[in-house]
Amino acid sequence: MAVRSAFQQLLTDTAHARGWTFIPEVAKHSTVPGRASIRPDGVVRDENTLPRGYWEAKDSADSLDAEIAKKKSRGYPLNNIIFEDTREAVLIQNKNEVLRVDLQNPQKLADLLNEFYRHTEPEIEEFSHAVEDFGTRVPELARGLQDLIADAHASNRKFQEAFTAFFTLCQSSLNPNISQAAVDEMLIQHILTERLFRTIFDQAEFTRKNAIAAEVEKVIDALASRAFNRGEYLRGLNPFYRAIEDAARFAADFTEKQHFLNTVYERFFQGYSIRTADTHGIVYTPQPIVDFMCASVAEVLEKEFGLTLGSPGVNILDPCTGTGNFIVNLMRRIPKKDLKRVYKEQLFANEVMLMPYYIAALNIEHAYYELTGEYEPFEGLCFVDTLDMAEHQQGHFEFVTESNTKRVEREKDAKITLIIGNPPYNAWQEYQNDNNQNRKYKIIDDRVKLTYAKQSLATNKNALSDMYVKFFRWATDRLVPRSGVVCFVSNNSFVDQAPFDGMRKSIAECYTRVYHVDLHGNVRKNPKLSGTTHNVFGIQVGVGITVAVRDTKHRDPRIMYHRVPETWRRDEKCKYLAEAASVAGVEWTLLEPDGKYNWLLLENADEFSSFLNLGSKRTKSGMDANAIFSTYSRGLETARDEWLYGFDAQDLEVKARRLTENYNSEVDRYNRGGRPPSLDSFVTNDVSVVQWCSKLKEMLRRGVHSKFSRANIRSAEYRPFTKVTTYLDSTLNHRLGIMPSAFPAGKEKSNALICCTNHSQIPFSVLATAVIPDVAIGGRPGQCFPFYIYNEEGANRRENITDWALDKFRKKYKNSTISKWDIFHYVYAILHHAGYREKFAENLKRELPRIPFAGGGV
């Protein structure tokens, strides 16, 4: 056994060096018809999840040749497999023995492994080449389809009628603001990938049986009514299709096909539409995470409620099902005596993107067939935007087709017990001109504002716009006041970052047991890590698994936390989850949140909290005066720096005048066009005309014009020691903050500000300036504390340091001559103090600075 584990580790390490993964004891179908499934001791999978070789370990007391003969008769794969008995190893490839070595000879062992890894099936090699070519061929064909569809919109009446009907369905069912381009994209996805569903899953009648696919086919049939032959057009992709279909043969059972197609699907979107992949977070959940989460919810259902996944009344929902992996995994855990009832009555899943919806339908229905021997359509799968269902709480709405509407209504009526899944991780786009921003949901967004944002002590709450935050809010509202479980794998910034303090408070109040496994992987916070090797999703933000339990019988709420080592690589994290199996196998730490809703307390938190507030929301809103500065804000945020900053005032004037004219022209065009409701479809995406942001779009919606004024050209500091000019305008700037009050016209040289940048992903920084600072003067958005505040006309100048602070300093030092300027300079000095910044580095990443008196804390 000692040698077996060493050999397993050897395969793990050597596979990892190639970017592949070793997985122990994975069951698969026998190659001999009618034989039971087999379980080799290990399989090596490549980056496309395809099996590249197998390993079978035997005891040294056995006859190795006899054991090989037994495994051959049982249908073990013989394309590339190592048999070894701790003393000798035999490599069989393409059913023939190609090498037999003495394991005590290091060079022979190295030769064996080199030959093992060198072997490539022709189909896999062809697939690898096809995947490399896919990135260039698919976008090219997609552009060609876009042109064909554009022509059909203009001249094909049959297509126009069919498209209009489908487009209206999508607007009423999926998104009232959905654009024509987005629906065109759905058609393109279907045309390019429909063949794969039919061939890989052997579903020749898929497009006829699936209700949504049938609706899409109507539109495509209309498109094909004029000189468009789908097969002829896609002939250029035949090599790729064939390569996928041939490689899929190596995915011997349906589960392997499922993993394989997930990989193909991710590659499709990264090659076909990076924007779509970015908006929806197209990254599929690694199987060890799915296994851990599904086992965990089964565990807590039994432990906390005495229920199983098959118990009557345990209604299960995956709100963003992707390709259906969570539902399939849960089905395999449901007792067979309960599966038919649960499948027909208690399982629900939603998906809003066309391709994964198709795959989910095939996956789930095939899994049921494998488990029961019967085919039943999965009536619990809805083609719908989960968050949109909250918008449609009242009344009856159509959801694409009559059958889909019935499914949605049945789901809405169900009393959900368990919500599980992987919500989209994308937060927001940087430029509104991309027209790629996530959709706004009035009800859910308002709920986030009234709960997470309202209870937050943070100043900057932009991070609460992240989609996963909205899904946590939605899931809690869907569950409460009933008892039940929510289990998500998501961005886990909410665990320790400042903007999420209100979210932490709400979660702690709504749930009685919270388990969180911190899988790290925040590349932005720790640049020594690599997203591709250390993050379980290959993304830039940290990831965690949350299991939140609500049991009204509990009287002792608990927050349980476990953090894996930060330097662990992706495969080490997945291995840990596989070994832990569920929350029952994790060594938990009980967290004791403080009064500011912090779960992970810092070493110097108590000392830091005893210092004077530099600024506070209560003081800023006039509720008290217990801070050094009365008010503060972020710096100037233009959202169009190319237009509204410049080194030369004359050049800036030219740009600002042109932007003003262009924007006003858009306002006039909008009014002439009848003020269409979808601004994203109306505005031009050309940044050389107008660079849009959400605020400027709102100004457009309200019909607000801008008037150029030379007096709005001001001095500014864009980055440290980088003096420029800027154009300060309430319409064209995204956010002005308190800059008009700190630097009113004619008073530019009569103020000074301290600008602090405290951010979770970069070290704390501070500088002072006598001109308007940019929002990211320190590299990330920070806060600015001016010495003076004026009214908008430049009169009524008043000091921004509070009398409360002045009294505190005078009493502390027993010196009545201390002035507010003295305090201002003292604050600036403390914020540069090396000892202070080193000792409280982590505190300064979470909240605004606090100021100690000299001699204390530094």
Side-chain angles (χ1 to χ4, degrees):
M1 289 303 294
V3 176
R4 172 193 163 111
S5 62
F7 204 99
Q8 177 173 321
Q9 189 61 48
L10 177 64
L11 290 174
T12 299
D13 293 341
T14 51
H16 182 271
R18 300 179 67 91
W20 296 357
T21 305
F22 174 83
I23 305 173
E25 298 188 358
V26 176
K28 64 184 276 82
H29 289 309
S30 169
T31 60
V32 177
R35 295 300 299 263
S37 64
I38 58 175
R39 188 180 293 271
D41 287 321
V43 58
V44 172
R45 294 187 184 275
D46 65 15
E47 65 275 11
N48 297 311
T49 73
L50 294 173
R52 302 301 292 269
Y54 297 87
W55 164 61
E56 180 69 13
K58 309 313 301 179
D59 191 273
S60 56
D62 298 329
S63 166
L64 185 58
D65 287 330
E67 291 297 322
I68 291 173
K70 288 181 184 178
K71 298 302 181 185
K72 284 182 177 181
S73 66
R74 289 187 56 194
Y76 270 60
L78 301 176
N79 54 312
N80 190 29
I81 184 169
I82 294 173
F83 290 94
E84 54 87 13
D85 65 357
T86 77
R87 296 172 302 187
E88 186 178 41
V90 175
L91 175 62
I92 294 177
Q93 293 177 338
N94 300 326
K95 299 183 180 180
N96 297 310
E97 180 179 321
V98 296
L99 202 60
R100 184 179 291 254
V101 303
D102 180 356
L103 289 178
Q104 296 183 59
N105 186 320
Q107 184 57 52
K108 294 295 184 182
L109 175 57
D111 293 342
L112 175 86
L113 292 174
N114 284 329
E115 194 64 34
F116 176 73
Y117 285 114
R118 190 179 296 123
H119 181 80
T120 303
E121 298 290 317
E123 294 89 345
I124 292 178
E125 187 170 10
E126 184 179 350
F127 174 77
S128 299
H129 292 319
V131 166
E132 291 177 11
D133 187 50
F134 190 47
T136 56
R137 293 289 294 125
V138 165
E140 177 187 325
L141 285 170
R143 284 191 294 270
L145 283 172
Q146 285 173 340
D147 293 340
L148 279 168
I149 291 172
D151 289 342
H153 279 303
S155 60
N156 185 337
R157 188 173 189 83
K158 186 176 180 181
F159 173 79
Q160 291 167 354
E161 292 173 355
F163 183 89
T164 299
F166 185 65
F167 184 45
T168 302
L169 281 174
C170 292
Q171 284 181 310
S172 63
S173 308
L174 300 179
N175 182 349
N177 297 321
I178 196 169
S179 66
Q180 176 182 301
V183 179
D184 287 348
E185 197 167 273
M186 290 171 63
L187 301 180
I188 294 170
Q189 289 177 30
H190 180 94
I191 291 170
L192 290 175
T193 59
E194 176 266 341
R195 169 176 165 176
L196 296 178
F197 307 140
R198 288 187 288 105
T199 54
I200 291 181
F201 291 103
D202 194 21
Q203 293 278 345
E205 296 188 342
F206 169 73
T207 53
R208 183 180 63 80
K209 286 185 175 180
N210 184 279
I212 305 300
E215 287 295 322
V216 177
E217 280 288 314
K218 290 178 184 177
V219 185
I220 293 170
D221 285 344
L223 177 67
S225 64
R226 281 197 189 178
F228 171 67
N229 182 297
R230 189 188 320 196
E232 190 69 27
Y233 183 81
L234 297 177
R235 180 175 293 175
L237 277 183
N238 276 346
F240 178 76
Y241 287 137
R242 283 197 298 268
I244 291 180
E245 291 155 2
D246 290 343
R249 289 193 304 103
F250 291 91
D253 58 26
F254 197 84
T255 301
E256 289 186 4
K257 286 183 179 181
Q258 183 185 51
H259 301 333
F260 172 71
L261 200 55
N262 282 355
T263 302
V264 172
Y265 176 55
E266 282 187 32
R267 287 175 177 265
F268 171 84
F269 270 106
Q270 292 300 334
Y272 160 66
S273 178
I274 294 175
R275 288 175 55 198
T276 303
D278 176 63
T279 302
H280 292 274
I282 305 297
V283 178
Y284 281 88
T285 316
Q287 197 59 34
I289 294 179
V290 177
D291 291 339
F292 180 87
M293 292 170 63
C294 292
S296 293
V297 295
E299 170 75 21
V300 296
L301 277 174
E302 182 176 357
K303 179 181 177 182
E304 305 292 351
F305 306 108
L307 300 171
T308 72
L309 291 167
S311 296
V314 175
N315 297 314
I316 301 167
L317 170 60
D318 181 349
C320 28
T321 200
T323 54
N325 292 357
F326 284 98
I327 295 295
V328 168
N329 195 300
L330 291 171
M331 286 169 58
R332 300 188 187 282
R333 299 174 188 274
I334 294 170
K336 288 197 174 181
K337 64 182 179 63
D338 300 317
L339 181 57
K340 186 170 185 177
R341 166 178 42 81
V342 175
Y343 183 78
K344 298 188 77 170
E345 301 175 10
Q346 296 169 225
L347 272 183
F348 302 91
N350 298 337
E351 180 51 51
V352 71
M353 292 188 67
L354 199 62
M355 276 183 57
Y357 166 81
Y358 290 162
I359 300 173
L362 291 166
N363 274 346
I364 295 167
E365 290 170 1
H366 191 96
Y368 182 77
Y369 174 78
E370 279 193 328
L371 291 167
T372 65
E374 301 175 2
Y375 171 79
E376 286 281 351
F378 180 46
E379 300 290 346
L381 180 61
C382 301
F383 186 49
V384 68
D385 185 332
T386 295
L387 299 185
D388 187 55
M389 292 173 68
E391 308 293 299
H392 293 171
Q393 288 176 342
Q394 305 300 324
H396 180 81
F397 291 84
E398 294 297 326
F399 289 89
V400 185
T401 66
E402 183 179 352
S403 61
N404 193 57
T405 300
K406 289 179 180 178
R407 293 182 180 188
V408 173
E409 294 297 335
R410 185 170 74 88
E411 180 190 310
K412 286 166 67 176
D413 292 338
K415 295 180 179 179
I416 299 298
T417 312
L418 167 61
I419 298 172
I420 185 170
N422 174 7
Y425 63 84
N426 174 273
W428 57 81
Q429 67 171 29
E430 185 173 359
Y431 298 113
Q432 290 278 330
N433 286 73
D434 294 342
N435 281 341
N436 193 35
Q437 67 270 27
N438 289 325
R439 177 186 167 188
K440 295 186 182 300
Y441 302 87
K442 185 179 186 311
I443 289 178
I444 297 299
D445 291 344
D446 286 348
R447 288 290 295 143
V448 170
K449 290 177 184 176
L450 291 172
T451 54
Y452 299 166
K454 186 176 181 180
Q455 297 182 85
S456 174
L457 303 176
T459 302
N460 181 0
K461 304 173 188 176
N462 284 348
L464 294 176
S465 298
D466 202 315
M467 286 294 286
Y468 88 89
V469 175
K470 297 180 184 186
F471 268 92
F472 265 102
R473 180 68 269 169
W474 166 85
T476 300
D477 290 343
R478 188 69 172 85
L479 182 65
V480 173
R482 297 186 306 278
S483 294
V485 184
V486 172
C487 180
F488 283 152
V489 55
S490 70
N491 179 334
N492 69 345
S493 300
F494 75 92
V495 171
D496 63 352
Q497 293 190 16
F500 301 94
D501 53 349
M503 181 177 174
R504 289 191 292 270
K505 181 176 188 291
S506 179
I507 288 175
E509 290 174 345
C510 292
Y511 298 96
T512 54
R513 295 284 186 276
V514 178
Y515 304 88
H516 184 83
V517 180
D518 187 342
L519 296 173
H520 281 297
N522 191 330
V523 180
R524 296 168 184 164
K525 190 174 182 179
N526 184 353
K528 294 181 181 179
L529 304 180
S530 166
T532 55
T533 57
H534 292 81
N535 190 291
V536 292
F537 285 126
I539 58 178
Q540 300 293 301
V541 297
V543 175
I545 298 171
T546 305
V547 182
V549 183
R550 176 180 171 82
D551 187 346
T552 55
K553 300 190 299 294
H554 285 151
R555 294 294 178 266
D556 57 338
R558 297 177 187 173
I559 299 171
M560 312 299 290
Y561 178 77
H562 179 79
R563 173 187 291 171
V564 303
E566 187 170 10
T567 57
W568 271 9
R569 301 171 74 92
R570 172 179 176 164
D571 55 346
E572 292 175 293
K573 297 171 184 179
C574 289
K575 181 181 178 182
Y576 169 79
L577 292 174
E579 291 174 349
S582 75
V583 291
V586 176
E587 188 175 334
W588 297 105
T589 298
L590 177 64
L591 301 182
E592 299 286 350
D594 65 12
K596 295 180 181 178
Y597 327 133
N598 291 313
W599 288 0
L600 302 179
L601 304 184
L602 300 177
E603 183 179 354
N604 302 305
D606 291 341
E607 183 179 4
F608 191 74
S609 65
S610 69
F611 300 158
L612 303 181
N613 280 322
L614 188 62
S616 77
K617 290 172 62 177
R618 290 179 60 84
T619 301
K620 189 176 178 180
S621 62
M623 298 175 66
D624 63 36
N626 301 333
I628 295 175
F629 286 90
S630 295
T631 190
Y632 57 95
S633 81
R634 304 205 309 176
L636 173 65
E637 184 175 2
T638 73
R640 49 196 61 83
D641 291 358
E642 296 88 344
W643 285 100
L644 298 178
Y645 278 117
F647 286 98
D648 182 86
Q650 290 182 334
D651 288 344
L652 176 64
E653 179 176 343
V654 172
K655 291 192 298 182
R657 283 185 183 276
R658 184 153 58 92
L659 177 61
T660 302
E661 292 170 2
N662 292 351
Y663 164 72
N664 288 338
S665 294
E666 288 293 278
V667 175
D668 295 338
R669 185 171 71 86
Y670 179 66
N671 290 331
R672 291 195 305 271
R675 305 176 65 80
S678 176
L679 288 181
D680 289 340
S681 299
F682 170 81
V683 299
T684 175
N685 297 329
D686 187 351
V687 296
S688 67
V689 178
V690 178
Q691 190 165 328
W692 294 98
C693 66
S694 57
K695 188 263 187 82
L696 195 59
K697 286 182 180 179
E698 180 58 28
M699 294 292 103
L700 171 65
R701 188 189 302 278
R702 289 161 48 189
V704 176
H705 286 82
S706 180
K707 183 178 180 180
F708 177 81
S709 171
R710 189 176 284 110
N712 290 346
I713 295 179
R714 309 290 187 80
S715 297
E717 191 157 5
Y718 188 66
R719 294 292 183 269
F721 316 112
T722 307
K723 294 291 179 64
V724 295
T725 55
T726 191
Y727 186 73
L728 200 67
D729 180 83
S730 59
T731 300
L732 299 181
N733 288 127
H734 185 54
R735 290 191 180 95
L736 297 174
I738 59 172
M739 295 308 122
S741 299
F743 296 100
K747 304 287 184 180
E748 286 188 68
K749 297 183 179 178
S750 302
N751 211 345
L753 296 88
I754 295 174
C755 303
C756 302
T757 301
N758 52 327
H759 195 278
S760 63
Q761 295 165 6
I762 61 172
F764 174 78
S765 65
V766 61
L767 57 83
T769 181
V771 295
I772 295 172
D774 181 72
V775 65
I777 190 171
R780 290 285 199 279
Q783 299 296 331
C784 303
F785 300 83
F787 186 81
Y788 289 121
I789 291 293
Y790 301 80
N791 63 16
E792 291 187 6
E793 291 74 34
N796 189 29
R797 188 180 79 174
R798 57 199 182 277
E799 294 165 328
N800 190 34
I801 290 179
T802 63
D803 293 336
W804 174 87
L806 182 63
D807 182 63
K808 286 283 186 182
F809 274 87
R810 285 179 173 177
K811 285 182 177 177
K812 170 65 179 178
Y813 297 109
K814 299 179 175 59
N815 185 342
S816 61
T817 67
I818 291 175
S819 70
K820 292 185 178 181
W821 272 115
D822 293 329
I823 296 173
F824 185 87
H825 294 135
Y826 174 81
V827 166
Y828 188 63
I830 284 292
L831 295 179
H832 277 85
H833 192 290
Y836 170 85
R837 291 169 66 159
E838 179 179 354
K839 184 174 183 179
F840 301 108
E842 291 302 313
N843 308 80
L844 292 169
K845 288 182 178 181
R846 289 196 187 180
E847 59 181 297
L848 288 176
R850 289 172 171 267
I851 306 301
F853 291 116
V858 294

